[in-house]
Amino acid sequence: MDAFLNGAYAVFQAFIGAGAYVMLPFIIMVIGLIFRLPIAKAFKSGITITCGFVGINLLVNLLKSAVSPAAAAMVANFGLNLDVTDVGWGAISSVTWASPIVAFLVFEILGINILLLVLKKTNTMDVDIWNYHHMMIVGILVFFVTQNIIWAIVATAITAVMTFKFADWTQPLIEHFFGIPDVTLPTISYTSSIIIAAPLNWLIDRIPGLNKVNFSIKGVQKYLGVFGDPMMLGFILGCAMGALALFPFDQIFLTGINVAAVMVLMPKMTAMFVEGLMPISSAAQKFTSEKFGGRALSIGLDAAVVVGNPEVITTALIMIPVTILLAFVLPGNRMMPLADLAVVTFRVALVVALCRGNVFRSILISIPVMAAILYAGTFAAPFMTEMAQSAGLAFDGQIASMAGPSLTQTAIIFWSCISENAIIVVPALVIAFIAIWYVVEKKITMEKIEAYAAEYDEM
């Protein structure tokens, strides 16, 4: 068994080591060929999508480079000195991929995805293997705590099924709000927010007065003219962040320019991504119409493709200082937000889409979303620290991240599986999710979700 796991681990380490930019065009080409796209056209689609993805990631990294120093300076200016440090999702990912059971869990997630597709229980074909670590971290951490491979498999399975279903249910938002058809985003740092955001959005819709407040970039442009343009708004918000960080004037201005550049260039990169996707999408629709009676399948990709939306960036830039303030005032919080402040965009993107670009409502809902992340990170810190140390990573004090067991979805599953009464709690969790599944698809229905998302086209 050990020889098999070690061999599989070596193969997958080599596969992952090739990198997304190497593997993505070939994966897309294979998908195109499965859908009977000519090989030249399939390969061109793969290259075009990858080029768009490269551009998107370059801009995401530009945003990180602009935001990270400002966020770190704001933490210092707030005098925040808590004993659990946010070391970032990258450190958590490295610990995940270093686990001896990682290859086994990759096969498990892949098998679950294929099984659900065959059984017609999901429409998401998840090709974003590099982000499997979001699903695997739960099982790996459960295995580290319990030393029980069965509970690790169960935790990973529950996480995968929930993620694919959340991706299915939120697909109309991606198509109508972000303008990317036939794509789902099974990235837990993106989907997890729906657990808190959906009930709160439903509640706000039923509060007189509050349900009428609508602040969006489209609306701002009507009143602010040139200053409401996404580029100018990005410049203003970037400069405001630099000022809150007490940067010198030149660095304030540079922060504003970098954020403005992301605002204006990101839609162009997204358009290139969609351009490459369209031949695959058309071929998939034709193929599924012939073979599966018109069933629509969506390609599961990295949530990076949507975090450059102007409303998302606006909400994230406002939420960064708000999150720092939350860390300071929330009773019992010990987590000091730091490295992952630069990727708050991923945590709020689905919230913004659910609120159809209403920045005011997005901020209102993002506050409890981020508070939940801080608390979950605080409680999971001892386990994360011990696991990181066992993988050879040394830190001063305890560590956490705004990923892994800090996310609401993974936190619920993790704590259920390590509970003393896991044999009771885990089945209860599964039953609760099945009930939600029934309500969403039989009572609410995907048609109503589609209609809700489509209303954005008319706004």
Side-chain angles (χ1 to χ4, degrees), residues 237-262:
L237 288 170
C239 287
M241 176 164 280
L244 286 172
L246 303 182
F247 282 166
F249 175 77
D250 60 336
Q251 204 167 347
I252 291 175
F253 193 85
L254 181 60
T255 303
I257 288 294
N258 285 336
V259 176
V262 172

Side-chain angles (χ1 to χ4, degrees), residues 88-419:
W89 68 269
I92 306 304
S93 174
S94 67
V95 171
T96 302
W97 287 111
S99 171
I101 66 168
V102 67
F104 189 84
L105 298 186
V106 168
F107 277 118
E108 181 190 3
I109 294 168
L110 189 60
I112 288 170
N113 192 195
I114 293 171
L115 179 64
L116 291 176
L117 284 167
V118 170
L119 295 176
K120 299 182 180 179
K121 298 303 180 183
T122 186
N123 295 321
T124 295
M125 295 184 297
D126 188 5
V127 303
D128 186 24
I129 294 171
W130 305 273
N131 275 323
Y132 274 20
H133 71 87
H134 286 288
M135 290 184 262
M136 293 189 297
I137 182 61
V138 189
I140 288 168
L141 195 54
V142 167
F143 179 69
F144 177 78
V145 174
T146 66
Q147 291 299 299
N148 188 318
I149 188 67
I150 301 300
W151 279 121
I153 292 169
V154 169
T156 304
I158 295 171
T159 306
V161 173
M162 288 178 68
T163 302
F164 295 139
K165 292 312 300 178
F166 286 158
D168 286 343
W169 298 337
T170 58
Q171 190 278 331
L173 298 173
I174 300 164
E175 179 163 352
H176 293 283
F177 182 75
F178 294 115
I180 306 177
D182 304 314
V183 162
T184 58
L185 305 177
T187 309
I188 295 182
S189 59
Y190 167 86
T191 60
S192 179
S193 302
I194 198 71
I195 295 173
I196 294 174
L200 286 181
N201 190 53
W202 178 89
L203 180 64
I204 292 172
D205 274 338
R206 284 151 183 81
I207 299 177
L210 193 62
N211 60 4
K212 300 297 182 184
V213 180
N214 191 349
F215 175 86
S216 66
I217 289 181
K218 286 182 178 180
V220 166
Q221 284 180 288
K222 296 177 182 178
Y223 300 104
L224 298 183
V226 67
F227 292 103
D229 180 270
M231 179 179 67
M232 293 301 296
L233 191 59
F235 176 74
I236 293 167
L237 288 170
C239 287
M241 176 164 280
L244 286 172
L246 303 182
F247 282 166
F249 175 77
D250 60 336
Q251 204 167 347
I252 291 175
F253 193 85
L254 181 60
T255 303
I257 288 294
N258 285 336
V259 176
V262 172
M263 286 282 216
V264 75
L265 293 175
M266 188 66 84
K268 300 181 188 303
M269 290 299 100
T270 304
M272 185 176 187
F273 181 91
V274 174
E275 177 189 338
L277 187 66
M278 290 314 295
I280 301 288
S281 175
S282 298
Q285 289 176 6
K286 183 178 179 182
F287 181 85
T288 54
S289 178
E290 293 174 356
K291 301 292 183 181
F292 300 102
R295 179 185 173 197
L297 298 180
S298 300
I299 300 173
L301 295 172
D302 190 331
V305 300
V306 301
V307 298
N309 173 273
E311 281 94 350
V312 171
I313 294 177
T314 300
T315 302
L317 290 177
I318 294 170
M319 281 306 302
I320 287 172
V322 170
T323 301
I324 296 170
L325 181 62
L326 285 173
F328 191 78
V329 302
L330 286 175
N333 173 64
R334 294 167 51 202
M335 179 174 165
M336 180 168 65
L338 194 60
D340 273 343
L341 284 170
V343 289
V344 167
T345 43
F346 287 83
R347 309 320 183 251
V348 304
L350 181 53
V351 178
V352 175
L354 184 66
C355 298
R356 295 182 293 203
N358 184 340
V359 175
F360 171 80
R361 185 180 293 198
S362 299
I363 293 168
L364 207 59
I365 293 175
S366 293
I367 290 172
V369 166
M370 297 307 298
I373 288 174
L374 291 173
Y375 276 130
T378 295
F379 298 142
F383 302 107
M384 283 306 311
T385 305
E386 287 182 29
M387 192 171 78
Q389 289 171 344
S390 72
L393 298 179
F395 298 97
D396 294 328
Q398 294 191 7
I399 66 164
S401 165
M402 293 187 191
S406 300
L407 297 169
T408 303
Q409 177 187 339
T410 42
I412 292 170
I413 298 167
F414 170 64
W415 290 105
S416 297
C417 288
I418 69 167
S419 165

Side-chain angles (χ1 to χ4, degrees), residues 7-24 26-27 97 106-107 110 127-132:
Y9 176 73
V11 170
F12 269 94
Q13 284 293 82
F15 178 76
I16 296 299
Y21 299 159
V22 174
M23 298 306 301
L24 185 58
F26 292 101
I27 291 174
W97 287 111
V106 168
F107 277 118
L110 189 60
V127 303
D128 186 24
I129 294 171
W130 305 273
N131 275 323
Y132 274 20

